[in-house]
Amino acid sequence: MRFMLLFSRQGKLRLQKWYTATAERDKKKMVRELMQVVLARKPKMCSFLEWRDLKIVYKRYASLYFCCAVEEQDNELITLEVIHRFVELLDKYFGSVCELDIIFNFEKAYFILDEFLMGGEIQDTSKKGVLKAIEQADLLQEVDVSSPKSFFLFK
Amino acid sequence: MPAVSKGDGMRGLAVFISDIRNCKSKEAEIKRINKELANIRSKFKGDKALDGYSKKKYVCKLLFIFLLGHDIDFGHMEAVNLLSSNKYTEKQIGYLFISVLVNSNSELIRLINNAIKNDLSSRNPTFMCLALHCIANVGSREMAEAFAGEIPRILVAGDTMDSVKQSAALCLLRLYRTSPDLVLMGEWTSRVVHLLNDQHMGVVTAAISLITCLSQKNPEEFKTCVSLAVSRLSRIVSSASTDLQDYTYYFVPAPWLSCKLLRLLQCYPPPEDGAVKGRLVECLETILNKAQEPPKSKKVQHSNAKNAILFEAIALIIHYDSEPNLLVRACNQLGQFLQHRETNLRYLALESMCTLASSEFSHEAVKTHIETVINALKTERDVSVRQRAADLLYAMCDRSNAKQIVAEMLSYLETADYSIREEMVLKVAILAEKYAVDYSWYVDTILNLIRIAGDYVSEEVWYRVIQIVINRDDVQGYAAKTVFEALQAPACHENMVKVGGYILGEFGNLIAGDPRSSPLVQFNLLHSKFHLCSVPTRALLLSAYIKFINLFPETKPTIQEVLRCDSQIRNSDVELQQRAVEYLKLSSIASTDVLATVLEEMPPFPERESSILAKLKKKKGPGAVSGNELEEGKREGGELNGAGERPGDSSAIGASNASTPSPSADLLGLRSAAPVSAAPPSAGSLLVDVFSEAGPAAPAAGANDDGFLRDLEPPTESSDSLLAEGPGDSDSAPPSVVSEDPAPPLPESDELLNKFVCKNNGVLFENQLLQIGVKSEYRQNLGRMYLFYGNKTSVQFVNFTTTVSCPGELQSQLNVQLKPVDPLVEGGAQVQQVINIECLTVFSDAPLLNIKFRYGGALQNLTLKLPVAINKFFQPTEMSSHDFFQRWKQLSQPQQEAQKIFKANHAMDTEVLKAKLLGLGTALLEKVDPNPDNFVCAGVIQTKAQQVGCLLRLEPNAQAQMYRLTLRSSKDTVAKRLCELLAEQF
């Protein structure tokens, strides 16, 4: 996967994750262009489109569009399910997630995505596996983990 | 503000975000942000040391501002401080900031790397994962340099936790993608491959991405993964839907892992081991079967996951292309999707069938769906699906259904989306040409194309129809008639006028017998469009008019009248004016014979890859079409117009330009210009058309698009040459005979000759009186040389004559034809002479050039060797390492090899050597010789009598300052001669 974008129906970018080095200027240009293309599409249209040299796989959940750019040879359907699984993870973590959760807890959304995808590839597909990592981190919160003892308490 | 605030709430941050959201305008937002930035700056600069929480909060705010799209140029140091915090969330935010706002400050990078190093060695899995995420997110070369050595160790260590292993595998993948040279698997290879057997499915899922990428680059080293992947896949496929617990996704066992395993297998050919292969085929059958079972859930996720595996399995089946049963089954199952209610499935089925259509086993099965696909083209509401349908029609087209498909595509064009029209036009044009049984159908189709979608008909398309009409005399009359009729439409597209102008100019005579299309009617029809056309079209029409004067003398007064009128002869456009002036002059002073010679019918174009196909490839990116085309090329062996080059067809290689060995990409005709360079077959006129002034140093076939046009248009187009070699000069006397015998060749003439072995242009000779420059170009077995005689004195040379002789057996080996040269060379002036050379068979000696002239009454008489050596007729040949050594072995008889070991005469600079070897005319083959210091080359010498393949290997020994040069050739004298020639070069 080259990148993943979350944006609202109004064209506000809510989350962006780039898996290849891209200059800021190009990123902005690509985001603008792609949002335009995707937002112009009608509900019944297919979830895949060719854009530049990439395949775009997108799906709308309520007011948010989840949009992935994958390589020519990547599997579109499984990418669609990558999106779905990510939504499930967010949902599970926030408890029926809405756009506001992602706005106000953007850093959490990034952490969850990082636990799920790394370098554009799936790290773990198990919901439990990913959430365990996140929740463990939440437990660690403000606890000073400098001494091994206190760390093992929460292991 | 949402109630949920899991983990640590940062109140200040939430307030700030709400503030931003409440901003009514962009300006207000910017104001609020600037205020916050000032606040944060002062906090960071303030004397009071910030506590971790505040630092985290401010860094997080900066991150938010950055993600809103504003520039952030500070805060990096505070973020780095957070990295070394012992509080998890502080560390986490620090890493997030660093990953998102990558900075190239080297001091900062050193600090970051230090923090990462500490976390990697902390043995705290959560910290290790954070550090690995950061490396993967940044993925820079510096990161790779610092950590590429450490991560494989973490990945395979026995005591590493599973979650860390997963992160390490993907982190390594990311580094491998950015800096493959720094990630050396070496000793770890087999342990990494065995991660496929890991008990933890998450580890396998992460590791397989890494293994797939590594296998693509080093298939040999990783090939043991095939059998492991097959057995893993087999276990998943045969498991019940609940066996894999958390890795079952909507009743589908491990869909991601299955897809990835199937992808990995696509890096390899079918397994050789019969048992493994049998097991795999079983898996594929099971997947096809399962896809047919009734769904276990109505959720779209269930069907998506199941079908994702199905499509990936089909991709593997197509990749193998060896199991007819599976291919046909795949095709049938995809056929069911063509009418599925899910748009996504229809789209993917069309896409996947495109590749099935190129397999000989499933092509027929795909064809049975033609009606459904045509229907999709007509009724799909989503343009991307229609595009796929059009692609599939194109892929399934063959001789049996071409007429139907072309007709459907044409009618679709009338309503097609603008975004895909040009591509559709190209496709129609290609299919029409490729499957044309009778060429009148082809001409009709293209003219229809111009009529329906004229704006989208690119130059390549109308050039091509002209090329084909010129090359096929059976269709010329029909083309003239049809185009004449098409031009009668009141509004016709300018492209139609271009085609019409060209065709009537060439073949208008074929329909002139009919009074309804008499010469004058034809002319008036064309001229009625003239004023509506752009300059290039008008220029083309002017050329058509002069051709009319030649074809139909009775139109001469009318046309001259037109040319003479002010709007032509004083046209503000220089090109049009020049044409008008010159054509008018040509028509009034040239005799009919001269006119007929100048305006002779265009010679046939060399048959090469269709320029339209090249254009389509360029549009779609290489590879997108070529696989398909090659396949079709194989199936349609007898196609009429040689679209698509056949592998191993040496004449295809031969058509590229010899004087500037072109990279292999050019051989594929990716430069649209190359295919149409006119190479007339008659021996008299060589290379570029005789009248073209094309700079001799420039590649004959223009590499730019202008050159395309120039070459396509008749010779008369290049106006200045008309004056230079026009009728006035054409009967000037041959060089007058001078009684004195030619002098013997200059002693240094051999040395002079050596300078030109690896180059074509330069100064051949110079003394106090005279300088002789050479430019030459070669194609196939033909060459043209331009000699420039410069008078260095201020006194004129009189009785300037030159002769060329071919002593001894050279006479039967080389045909050299000297064009006349001006007998008077003024002081300080330069005259040019053209020499045409034809190589009849292999030769060794060089022809002699004798020059005589009188300078201040004294006869000057000197003889040089003409810089023509056998290597000039090389055509470069690209080949793989395997082919090279196979041919090398075939040429193993002693007389086929010549070898020399000699001391270096020049500095042993790799780039200079490469340039020389390229100048030799052969292809310089990269990555063929196992020793990277050696050079190997391959080429074919083109002579009229035969083609001689040659292979060369040059082994420099820098230490000894020596070379070993080995040549092998199918003809013994050639290897020897080339060896002699080359030994002087290095």
Side-chain angles (χ1 to χ4, degrees):
Chain A
M1 190 182 295
R2 295 272 192 92
F3 58 85
M4 185 192 255
L5 304 177
L6 265 66
F7 50 86
S8 70
R9 227 152 38 120
Q10 289 77 31
K12 291 251 184 211
L13 188 60
R14 295 302 180 202
L15 184 145
Q16 48 173 324
K17 189 78 192 179
W18 301 80
Y19 295 111
T20 45
T22 317
E24 279 309 318
R25 255 186 54 211
D26 297 339
K27 282 186 192 172
K28 284 186 183 161
K29 195 165 165 246
M30 288 166 88
V31 168
R32 218 176 25 237
E33 212 177 292
L34 192 58
M35 277 203 289
Q36 230 171 22
V37 174
V38 172
L39 289 173
R41 290 177 66 84
K42 299 192 183 73
K44 282 276 173 181
M45 289 188 163
C46 82
S47 313
F48 321 123
L49 55 122
E50 286 178 335
W51 182 75
R52 300 194 177 185
D53 59 334
L54 295 170
K55 284 201 292 207
I56 304 296
V57 177
Y58 73 94
K59 188 160 181 183
R60 187 177 145 186
Y61 288 85
S63 59
L64 267 190
Y65 283 88
F66 289 70
C67 182
C68 297
V70 296
E71 315 275 340
E72 169 64 31
Q73 68 277 8
D74 284 334
N75 189 314
E76 292 96 338
L77 286 175
I78 208 77
T79 311
L80 213 46
E81 295 318 299
V82 167
I83 293 178
H84 187 75
R85 172 94 326 165
F86 179 47
V87 174
E88 285 183 346
L89 289 168
L90 291 172
D91 199 62
K92 189 101 182 172
Y93 180 79
F94 288 109
S96 73
V97 66
C98 66
E99 192 182 339
L100 283 181
D101 291 320
I102 295 171
I103 298 173
F104 279 92
N105 299 286
F106 69 95
E107 80 283 10
K108 295 284 180 213
Y110 278 97
F111 297 146
I112 295 172
L113 184 58
D114 267 354
E115 285 297 333
F116 179 44
L117 294 179
M118 188 168 167
E121 303 286 340
I122 288 211
Q123 190 168 193
D124 203 336
T125 62
S126 148
K127 223 174 352 186
K128 271 189 211 149
V130 175
L131 286 174
K132 207 170 74 194
I134 301 280
E135 267 150 22
Q136 199 175 21
D138 272 345
L139 277 176
L140 287 173
Q141 280 318 319
E142 298 300 300
V143 179
D144 188 330
V145 287
S146 56
S147 70
K149 240 189 232 162
S150 62
F151 172 72
F152 283 118
L153 276 180
F154 293 99
K155 196 176 172 188
Chain B
M1 216 183 307
V4 192
S5 181
K6 273 214 165 181
D8 59 324
M10 282 181 277
R11 217 186 124 61
L13 176 67
V15 170
F16 175 59
I17 295 176
S18 313
D19 279 2
I20 295 287
R21 283 176 53 74
N22 291 333
C23 285
K24 295 273 183 293
S25 64
K26 192 83 197 161
E27 289 70 35
E29 183 185 310
I30 291 174
K31 215 171 137 201
R32 178 70 185 88
I33 285 171
N34 284 339
K35 187 178 150 207
E36 192 63 39
L37 285 176
N39 173 39
I40 299 174
R41 246 198 206 99
S42 74
K43 287 283 196 279
F44 282 170
K45 277 196 188 139
D47 308 327
K48 212 174 77 191
L50 288 175
D51 60 13
Y53 172 79
S54 311
K55 231 184 261 174
K56 178 180 81 170
K57 185 178 73 187
Y58 292 131
V59 164
C60 220
K61 281 183 180 175
L62 287 178
L63 196 55
F64 181 77
I65 295 171
F66 177 78
L67 291 169
L68 278 179
H70 302 268
D71 290 334
I72 294 295
D73 54 4
F74 68 105
H76 295 83
M77 201 38 109
E78 285 71 18
V80 173
N81 284 340
L82 288 175
L83 292 188
S84 32
S85 163
N86 288 318
K87 293 213 173 76
Y88 179 76
T89 48
E90 289 173 15
K91 195 187 271 292
Q92 200 181 21
I93 296 287
Y95 272 125
L96 180 60
F97 185 92
I98 298 296
S99 309
V100 175
L101 278 107
V102 184
N103 193 289
S104 52
N105 177 327
S106 56
E107 175 59 14
L108 214 55
I109 288 177
R110 203 180 53 81
L111 290 172
I112 296 169
N113 282 0
N114 253 338
I116 293 178
K117 213 163 266 164
N118 287 336
D119 283 335
L120 280 185
S121 51
S122 71
R123 308 188 58 78
N124 173 338
T126 325
F127 286 8
M128 287 173 88
C129 283
L130 273 186
L132 289 168
H133 281 154
C134 181
I135 299 172
N137 279 328
V138 176
S140 65
R141 191 156 178 92
E142 288 87 357
M143 290 272 179
E145 274 163 2
F147 302 109
E150 174 66 16
I151 299 172
R153 220 185 307 277
I154 298 177
L155 175 60
V156 297
D159 57 348
T160 306
M161 304 235 331
D162 289 333
S163 63
V164 179
K165 270 191 196 168
Q166 288 168 272
S167 298
L170 293 178
C171 184
L172 203 56
L173 169 61
R174 175 70 202 267
L175 294 184
Y176 185 77
R177 282 187 179 147
T178 35
S179 320
D181 54 315
L182 295 177
V183 178
L184 303 168
M185 296 314 293
E187 47 182 322
W188 311 117
T189 302
S190 117
R191 294 174 71 179
V192 170
V193 170
H194 277 87
L195 288 174
L196 286 175
N197 270 341
D198 202 284
Q199 288 189 323
H200 191 281
M201 294 275 272
V203 172
V204 188
T205 309
I208 194 167
S209 297
L210 174 67
I211 295 168
T212 305
C213 181
L214 292 167
S215 300
Q216 279 162 349
K217 298 281 163 56
N218 328 283
E220 256 324 282
E221 288 162 46
F222 282 83
K223 69 177 177 200
T224 47
C225 72
V226 172
S227 59
L228 292 178
V230 170
S231 59
R232 189 93 212 194
L233 180 68
S234 159
R235 266 179 284 158
I236 297 174
V237 167
S238 56
S239 65
S241 55
T242 48
D243 284 0
L244 301 173
Q245 294 158 358
D246 217 27
Y247 290 89
T248 297
Y249 181 82
Y250 291 87
F251 304 102
V252 182
W256 282 278
L257 187 51
S258 307
C259 285
K260 280 173 181 281
L261 287 164
L262 290 162
R263 266 302 301 288
L264 172 60
L265 291 170
Q266 286 169 60
C267 303
Y268 290 92
E272 281 158 22
D273 181 334
V276 177
K277 181 156 186 210
R279 207 166 168 196
L280 178 56
V281 169
E282 216 169 278
C283 282
L284 293 170
E285 278 168 350
T286 313
I287 293 171
L288 291 177
N289 291 339
K290 279 197 172 179
Q292 298 286 58
E293 285 171 13
K296 292 190 177 67
S297 154
K298 282 200 173 127
K299 288 243 161 71
V300 69
Q301 283 76 27
H302 172 70
S303 91
N304 277 353
K306 204 163 77 168
N307 291 325
I309 301 174
L310 174 67
F311 279 107
E312 207 59 64
I314 291 176
L316 182 62
I317 293 171
I318 295 170
H319 168 77
Y320 287 163
D321 197 11
S322 59
E323 300 286 329
N325 285 339
L326 290 176
L327 281 161
V328 171
R329 268 197 73 183
C331 184
N332 293 338
Q333 285 187 236
L334 289 177
Q336 297 167 8
F337 286 158
L338 288 180
Q339 286 165 309
H340 201 279
R341 61 185 169 80
E342 276 276 324
T343 316
N344 287 346
L345 288 180
R346 295 198 301 275
Y347 175 97
L348 294 174
L350 289 166
E351 184 180 60
S352 193
M353 267 206 184
C354 257
T355 37
L356 276 174
S358 60
S359 162
E360 57 176 315
F361 301 114
S362 49
H363 182 76
E364 288 304 317
V366 172
K367 272 168 64 184
T368 60
H369 299 286
I370 183 164
E371 296 302 336
T372 320
V373 182
I374 288 174
N375 197 39
L377 187 65
K378 287 179 177 161
T379 58
E380 279 290 348
R381 272 188 283 171
D382 185 347
V383 55
S384 23
V385 185
R386 288 199 295 274
Q387 163 101 58
R388 289 286 87 84
D391 286 350
L392 178 52
L393 282 181
Y394 177 75
M396 68 161 71
C397 191
D398 62 20
R399 215 174 286 287
S400 72
N401 55 18
K403 283 202 174 167
Q404 185 188 7
I405 286 178
V406 166
E408 291 294 348
M409 286 174 104
L410 267 177
S411 77
Y412 172 60
L413 251 181
E414 304 202 31
T415 54
D417 307 76
Y418 295 113
S419 55
I420 61 173
R421 279 198 186 179
E422 189 185 350
E423 197 184 313
M424 291 283 297
V425 166
L426 289 175
K427 286 183 167 162
V428 171
I430 290 167
L431 294 179
E433 173 185 339
K434 199 163 176 184
Y435 300 115
V437 180
D438 65 291
Y439 273 85
S440 48
W441 174 73
Y442 169 74
V443 170
D444 285 341
T445 304
I446 300 296
L447 294 186
N448 264 330
L449 206 53
I450 297 176
R451 206 175 297 143
I452 294 170
D455 282 343
Y456 298 89
V457 171
S458 55
E459 293 191 327
E460 285 81 358
V461 172
W462 72 262
Y463 288 173
R464 189 67 186 162
V465 67
I466 285 173
Q467 286 173 37
I468 287 176
V469 170
I470 297 230
N471 286 13
R472 305 201 53 96
D473 33 18
D474 52 340
V475 77
Q476 289 160 356
Y478 182 79
K481 181 167 157 287
T482 325
V483 83
F484 176 78
E485 281 160 10
L487 283 174
Q488 283 172 332
C492 70
H493 195 273
E494 188 163 337
N495 279 335
M496 188 71 85
V497 179
K498 288 179 182 162
V499 176
Y502 202 103
I503 294 206
L504 292 182
E506 291 287 326
F507 308 114
N509 55 329
L510 299 177
I511 57 168
D514 186 330
R516 283 166 300 175
S517 52
S518 72
L520 263 179
V521 175
Q522 286 185 39
F523 170 73
N524 286 332
L525 180 60
L526 279 181
H527 198 53
S528 69
K529 315 281 180 197
F530 188 90
H531 304 279
L532 300 169
C533 292
S534 62
V535 168
T537 310
R538 290 185 188 194
L540 186 148
L541 284 178
L542 288 178
S543 301
Y545 297 168
I546 185 77
K547 293 187 211 165
F548 266 52
I549 294 185
N550 174 46
L551 289 178
F552 319 114
E554 67 269 33
T555 60
K556 185 165 160 178
T558 319
I559 292 177
Q560 281 184 334
E561 189 73 19
V562 167
L563 292 175
R564 207 177 285 125
C565 78
D566 277 357
S567 65
Q568 307 295 358
I569 211 158
R570 303 223 169 119
N571 195 299
S572 60
D573 185 274
V574 148
E575 178 69 29
L576 293 181
Q577 188 188 94
Q578 191 169 6
R579 286 190 191 213
V581 170
E582 289 176 1
Y583 291 160
L584 184 60
K585 200 74 185 156
L586 180 66
S587 69
S588 39
I589 61 171
S591 67
T592 46
D593 282 359
V594 171
L595 204 58
T597 315
V598 172
L599 298 167
E600 204 177 338
E601 196 173 293
M602 283 296 282
F605 291 89
E607 294 293 359
R608 276 205 66 197
E609 184 188 42
S610 153
S611 48
I612 334 176
L613 198 55
K615 165 119 183 183
L616 184 66
K617 275 185 203 167
K618 211 159 64 183
K619 242 180 113 60
K620 290 285 236 181
V625 197
S626 56
N628 241 345
E629 294 307 327
L630 271 184
E631 279 301 324
E632 289 178 36
K634 259 188 270 169
R635 270 205 321 275
E636 296 292 327
E639 70 196 67
L640 292 155
N641 253 286
E645 304 195 356
R646 267 162 229 118
D649 182 355
S650 63
S651 71
I653 296 168
S656 85
N657 195 334
S659 63
T660 44
S662 36
S664 57
D666 202 30
L667 297 180
L668 297 173
L670 286 176
R671 284 193 193 152
S672 55
V676 273
S677 58
S682 60
S685 46
L686 294 173
L687 298 174
V688 281
D689 42 276
V690 184
F691 297 93
S692 155
E693 182 79 292
N704 51 8
D705 289 343
D706 304 345
F708 194 117
L709 188 64
R710 190 194 59 220
D711 283 341
L712 186 74
E713 288 188 340
T716 52
E717 301 296 338
S718 107
S719 38
D720 25 4
S721 57
L722 265 184
L723 298 178
E725 292 201 34
D729 294 349
S730 64
D731 23 40
S732 69
S736 55
V737 184
V738 179
S739 53
E740 286 86 355
D741 289 336
L746 292 176
E748 69 265 34
S749 59
D750 277 317
E751 206 180 304
L752 296 173
L753 195 62
N754 273 331
K755 288 203 305 188
F756 285 87
V757 170
C758 293
K759 62 176 186 177
N760 288 330
N761 307 328
V763 174
L764 174 64
F765 171 79
E766 185 158 11
N767 64 14
Q768 283 164 337
L769 304 179
L770 178 71
Q771 185 199 50
I772 307 177
V774 178
K775 283 183 173 180
S776 42
E777 51 188 4
Y778 296 87
R779 182 180 305 150
Q780 312 264 28
N781 68 325
L782 304 177
R784 168 181 282 196
M785 189 180 283
Y786 298 77
L787 292 176
F788 300 89
Y789 304 101
N791 182 345
K792 291 171 71 179
T793 71
S794 53
V795 183
Q796 57 178 210
F797 296 159
V798 293
N799 290 352
F800 190 89
T801 55
T802 60
T803 49
V804 166
S805 57
C806 294
E809 56 180 359
L810 191 58
Q811 203 148 24
S812 57
Q813 295 163 339
L814 216 54
N815 187 359
V816 183
Q817 185 197 0
L818 207 58
K819 297 273 173 171
V821 64
D822 201 324
L824 194 72
V825 187
E826 293 293 346
Q830 192 183 55
V831 296
Q832 179 190 333
Q833 183 171 35
V834 180
I835 301 177
N836 289 330
I837 303 159
E838 184 185 18
C839 176
L840 301 171
T841 179
V842 293
F843 64 97
S844 303
D845 293 324
L848 299 177
L849 169 73
N850 176 256
I851 301 151
K852 290 200 193 90
F853 59 92
R854 286 189 182 274
Y855 166 67
L859 177 74
Q860 306 290 323
N861 180 355
L862 62 114
T863 300
L864 298 164
K865 289 194 173 173
L866 216 51
V868 185
I870 187 68
N871 68 293
K872 298 295 178 195
F873 301 96
F874 258 132
Q875 298 289 330
T877 313
E878 295 288 348
M879 57 178 80
S880 67
S881 175
H882 173 258
D883 289 345
F884 182 88
F885 286 107
Q886 196 177 13
R887 289 183 203 191
W888 184 264
K889 280 192 206 112
Q890 282 164 359
L891 300 172
S892 57
Q893 290 169 30
Q895 70 271 22
Q896 290 175 325
E897 182 182 283
Q899 190 172 70
K900 261 194 174 170
I901 297 170
F902 52 93
K903 258 209 133 35
N905 290 319
H906 306 278
M908 298 176 86
D909 181 313
T910 312
E911 290 312 310
V912 175
L913 284 176
K914 278 186 182 168
K916 283 186 177 169
L917 288 168
L918 283 172
L920 181 70
T922 50
L924 183 58
L925 304 177
E926 305 275 4
K927 301 198 182 109
V928 165
D929 199 299
N931 180 347
D933 293 335
N934 293 347
F935 299 92
V936 293
C937 301
V940 176
I941 292 177
Q942 306 278 342
T943 75
K944 194 178 180 193
Q946 78 222 90
Q947 299 189 338
V948 184
C950 299
L951 302 174
L952 175 155
R953 189 179 197 187
L954 180 68
E955 297 158 277
N957 181 338
Q959 224 170 1
Q961 288 289 306
M962 300 280 283
Y963 289 102
R964 182 164 73 177
L965 173 68
T966 315
L967 272 133
R968 287 190 177 184
S969 147
S970 50
K971 200 164 157 71
D972 47 356
T973 52
V974 173
K976 193 165 151 277
R977 176 65 187 149
L978 283 172
C979 202
E980 286 165 4
L981 281 172
L982 272 177
E984 304 293 326
Q985 300 299 316
F986 300 109

